Amino acid sequence: MRNLKVFIAYNGADYHGFQRQDNAITVQEVVEKAIGRLLKTEPPVIYGCSRTDAGVHARRFCFNVHIDSSIPCEGFIKGINTLLPDSIAVLSCEDVDEEFHARFCTKAKEYVYLINNKPTRDVFMQKLAYHYPYSLNIKKMNDAAALFIGEHDFGAFCRAEGKSRVKTTVRTIYELGVAQKDGICEIKIRGNGFLYNMVRIVAGTLIYINEGRREVDDIAKAIETGERGFAGVTLPPEGLYLNNVLYEEEEVVDYKSELIKNFSMLHIKGMGRERMKKNIYLNTNNPVRWCKAIISDDRSVVVKKGKNYYVIGMGVIITINSNNFNVITAHRNLPRNYPQSFAEGFPDVTDE
């Protein structure tokens, strides 16, 4: 018996989610039937990496399936793609160990929420993006997005009935950013796992903050209290895409460890030192040691965008050039009550 690891893409507009259901057409049912037809057997059970809701799409969705056939992977891809509808396509296929499971072996998942931010509806994007015709302040949304990064209890960002499905509502977000180009806004989020409707609620919270219906501080309050009322609306499913699923440790880059390994190279040149003084009051005459203390803190998270690292924690964001490890800025960019313990002040680091 072989165990195949298969990646597919699908347009979820016409499906009631991925997981098989008795009273609706799902992606799982369609794919299982296609495999059965290809191999001339009863449809085998496929094990998906995630459940997706009705109307949600996937750019790289993984499943594994056990088959008793010698068909080459190339033949599997070509054959099944002739049997699948236009809304589903197999991207890759490979033999893997018996122990591999598409869901339980996942290291991280990445979602994208697409917003059509043009003044009028785009008829070619119907059911493929959420239409929001009003102005978006991308910088304001990114400032708020930074507060989600790290390990937190995201109970406030989960649909109520979803909480009973999980042992804990604590999750780690590695990256969350908002970008816009040619009238299309993309909210990309990567984490070790997500709760029911979590991405759509996070995206809705960023929209509410953009509109002024929620304040940045409300994110901290939602995380601390678990109260759904501090978060935003749940955006519609048509804008949501499972963008990627990561299985290898090296695919989930630990930028914090990367920085810590290069502590000896961390430095602040003249202009950077002046910018730090301008942006934050340091309780130390050794800002390099101060930055190292924040990077090393268990509560801090390090992400990378472009040529810079961004250290988020202790109530500040530190920007570090990834090429020369020059500290560019360190400024207050988080509410003082996020988390509440951070409000007690910044670290007082002195020379030994």
Side-chain angles (χ1 to χ4, degrees):
M1 188 72 71
R2 298 163 63 195
N3 189 18
L4 299 184
K5 176 183 178 183
V6 183
F7 276 95
I8 63 173
Y10 58 83
N11 180 330
D14 296 330
Y15 300 101
H16 205 74
F18 171 80
Q19 189 162 325
R20 177 186 284 275
Q21 298 185 29
D22 294 333
N23 57 352
I25 299 298
T26 66
V27 175
Q28 181 178 10
E29 177 184 353
V30 172
V31 173
E32 287 177 346
K33 287 182 177 179
I35 296 174
R37 290 174 59 193
L38 176 66
L39 303 181
K40 295 179 172 56
T41 64
E42 286 295 314
V45 176
I46 65 175
Y47 301 94
C49 62
S50 177
R51 300 177 179 180
T52 57
D53 290 339
V56 174
H57 318 291
R59 290 172 174 169
R60 277 182 61 80
F61 183 101
C62 185
F63 69 81
N64 71 290
V65 58
H66 297 92
I67 66 170
D68 187 12
S69 170
S70 60
I71 183 172
C73 286
E74 295 81 0
F76 180 90
I77 296 172
K78 292 179 180 179
I80 196 170
N81 276 334
T82 65
L83 300 172
L84 288 171
D86 292 341
S87 53
I88 306 174
V90 172
L91 306 176
S92 67
C93 172
E94 64 177 308
D95 284 276
V96 290
D97 293 337
E98 177 65 26
E99 293 76 18
F100 176 82
H101 191 287
R103 177 184 175 190
F104 300 122
C105 293
T106 303
K107 303 299 182 184
K109 295 176 184 175
E110 182 178 274
Y111 283 89
V112 162
Y113 196 89
L114 282 188
I115 300 174
N116 172 19
N117 194 217
K118 300 174 184 177
T120 57
R121 294 195 312 273
D122 185 337
V123 296
F124 299 106
M125 295 190 71
Q126 294 297 309
K127 299 185 179 181
L128 296 177
Y130 168 57
H131 182 223
Y132 184 83
Y134 311 107
S135 176
L136 288 175
N137 186 329
I138 302 301
K139 182 182 184 306
K140 185 177 182 180
M141 294 172 72
N142 270 316
D143 287 345
L147 308 187
F148 289 99
I149 296 176
E151 183 182 83
H152 308 294
D153 189 331
F154 286 99
F157 301 89
C158 176
R159 189 170 173 177
E161 57 264 39
K163 295 181 181 180
S164 61
R165 301 179 182 177
V166 295
K167 295 180 180 179
T168 176
T169 52
V170 174
R171 298 291 186 272
T172 300
I173 299 302
Y174 303 122
E175 181 179 353
L176 174 57
V178 186
Q180 187 168 20
K181 183 179 181 181
D182 299 329
I184 302 299
C185 175
E186 180 179 276
I187 301 172
K188 182 181 291 186
I189 181 170
R190 179 184 292 192
N192 66 352
F194 295 89
L195 304 170
Y196 188 29
N197 283 174
M198 178 175 161
V199 178
R200 290 162 59 188
I201 296 172
V202 168
T205 302
L206 296 180
I207 290 290
Y208 266 26
I209 288 175
N210 172 78
E211 295 175 341
R213 300 173 69 174
R214 294 290 186 275
E215 299 298 327
V216 174
D217 285 355
D218 287 328
I219 296 176
K221 294 174 183 177
I223 290 173
E224 291 168 3
T225 66
E227 294 184 17
R228 179 71 177 82
F230 287 116
V233 67
T234 305
L235 292 187
E238 61 262 26
L240 184 60
Y241 293 73
L242 177 59
N243 201 51
N244 203 2
V245 189
L246 307 177
Y247 290 100
E248 302 299 328
E249 292 287 356
E250 56 267 23
E251 292 184 292
V252 184
V253 181
D254 186 352
Y255 293 119
K256 178 186 284 191
S257 295
E258 194 172 284
L259 264 180
I260 291 175
K261 289 178 182 177
N262 290 281
F263 264 172
S264 61
M265 299 176 64
L266 203 66
H267 65 281
I268 306 174
K269 291 186 177 179
M271 183 58 69
R273 189 180 298 271
E274 293 304 314
R275 292 176 70 180
M276 287 183 68
K277 288 180 180 178
K278 183 178 179 181
N279 284 308
I280 196 169
Y281 294 102
L282 303 181
N283 299 324
T284 175
N285 57 3
N286 191 329
V288 171
R289 189 183 296 274
W290 181 85
C291 288
K292 289 179 179 179
I294 292 181
I295 296 170
S296 302
D297 190 275
D298 290 339
R299 296 164 291 181
S300 69
V301 175
V302 181
V303 298
K304 187 178 182 182
K305 292 184 180 180
K307 65 178 182 179
N308 292 330
Y309 295 109
Y310 296 90
V311 182
I312 304 165
M314 301 297 286
V316 300
I317 290 182
I318 303 172
T319 306
I320 302 171
N321 186 289
S322 61
N323 294 322
N324 57 24
F325 295 94
N326 181 36
V327 180
I328 301 171
T329 61
H331 60 90
R332 287 189 177 122
N333 202 46
L334 309 183
R336 287 176 177 266
N337 62 343
Y338 175 77
Q340 190 63 42
S341 59
F342 289 4
E344 298 170 359
F346 300 91
D348 185 2
V349 183
T350 58
D351 290 326
E352 295 178 348

